[in-house]
Amino acid sequence: MPETLRIFVSATNDLEAERAAIGQTLAELPVQVGVEIRRSPVTGINYDNLFELIANVDRFYFLLGRDITAPAGAEWQLALQLERSIFPLRLAGSRTSAGQEFLHYWPLRWKTFQNRGHVAQLVGLDLIQILLHPTNRYGLSVTEMAALQGHKKKLSEGLVAEMDEPGGAGGGGILLDPTHRDEIDSDSL
């Protein structure tokens, strides 16, 4: 049975548009798989609920802007503690003292991005790698795998459409293909 791809998107307060671009990027992939996009609610979250959101994700995307802000710092710490697969991205340019200190404290292989379209490109390429898992965890057909390879080539060459104005699921969301809609009960939404 195909698995649902679960991602958590953490972003500092100045990068809400870039966070929304990740959902748009997922929706534009040429495959039909179940995807769950998680994030902390705008209204706030307690530790136990945050733990549940991060504990079983396939990928944790972290977008750092000019400053480290709440709840992004707590989300980062929890993802590290839970040993989630983290994809750290940072906005090009200057940072506040706290933002600089955060980068200094966590000298990882940060990917630097210039704008919303660049985030979409970097995350899109990463998502394709995840979906093309050698054991086909997400139940892709041969045609879908070929379509992903073609999309990967276009992304690598920068041949993607410009990002529309940000929008989307402020509290996270679930993207389901038609064959998986019945697997999610209404209580989980």
Side-chain angles (χ1 to χ4, degrees):
M1 181 173 188
E3 294 180 29
T4 298
L5 173 63
R6 291 177 179 87
I7 66 170
F8 190 97
V9 183
S10 178
T12 55
N13 294 340
D14 57 338
L15 297 178
E16 281 301 315
E18 288 75 5
R19 182 197 311 255
I22 292 174
Q24 184 177 347
T25 299
L26 264 166
E28 292 173 354
L29 290 176
V31 295
Q32 299 212 358
V33 297
V35 178
E36 189 174 338
I37 305 168
R38 299 175 178 184
R39 67 166 287 175
S40 292
V42 177
T43 57
I45 190 168
N46 66 37
Y47 179 84
D48 291 336
N49 291 339
L50 183 59
F51 185 95
E52 289 299 318
L53 286 175
I54 295 175
N56 68 343
V57 295
D58 298 301
R59 177 70 91 202
F60 181 92
Y61 291 101
F62 186 83
L63 284 69
L64 177 65
R66 289 189 29 76
D67 195 9
I68 186 67
T69 58
E75 293 165 349
W76 172 269
Q77 289 290 347
L78 191 54
L80 285 171
Q81 178 186 345
L82 294 171
E83 299 179 352
R84 297 294 80 206
S85 176
I86 299 173
F87 192 86
L89 298 123
R90 67 179 180 187
L91 179 65
S94 63
R95 251 166 275 300
T96 64
S97 296
Q100 274 302 112
E101 184 65 27
F102 184 84
L103 280 176
H104 179 72
Y105 191 72
W106 299 107
L108 302 175
R109 290 190 154 180
W110 290 86
K111 297 276 187 183
T112 302
F113 65 93
Q114 304 296 322
N115 53 40
R116 196 169 61 230
H118 194 199
V119 166
Q121 179 187 30
L122 293 170
V123 171
L125 290 168
D126 183 63
L127 287 167
I128 290 171
Q129 284 303 118
I130 292 169
L131 289 169
L132 291 174
H133 191 273
T135 62
N136 197 12
R137 293 174 54 187
Y138 305 102
L140 300 176
S141 69
V142 174
T143 305
E144 288 175 316
M145 286 187 226
L148 276 178
Q149 290 291 357
H151 195 70
K152 179 181 177 181
K153 187 174 190 311
K154 287 179 184 175
L155 279 175
S156 295
E157 296 170 356
L159 302 174
V160 292
E162 286 296 314
M163 291 275 107
D164 293 332
E165 285 301 311
I174 299 175
L175 303 174
L176 296 173
D177 71 275
T179 61
H180 293 89
R181 290 186 195 280
D182 297 333
E183 295 174 16
I184 305 270
D185 60 49
S186 60
D187 293 337
S188 65
L189 296 176

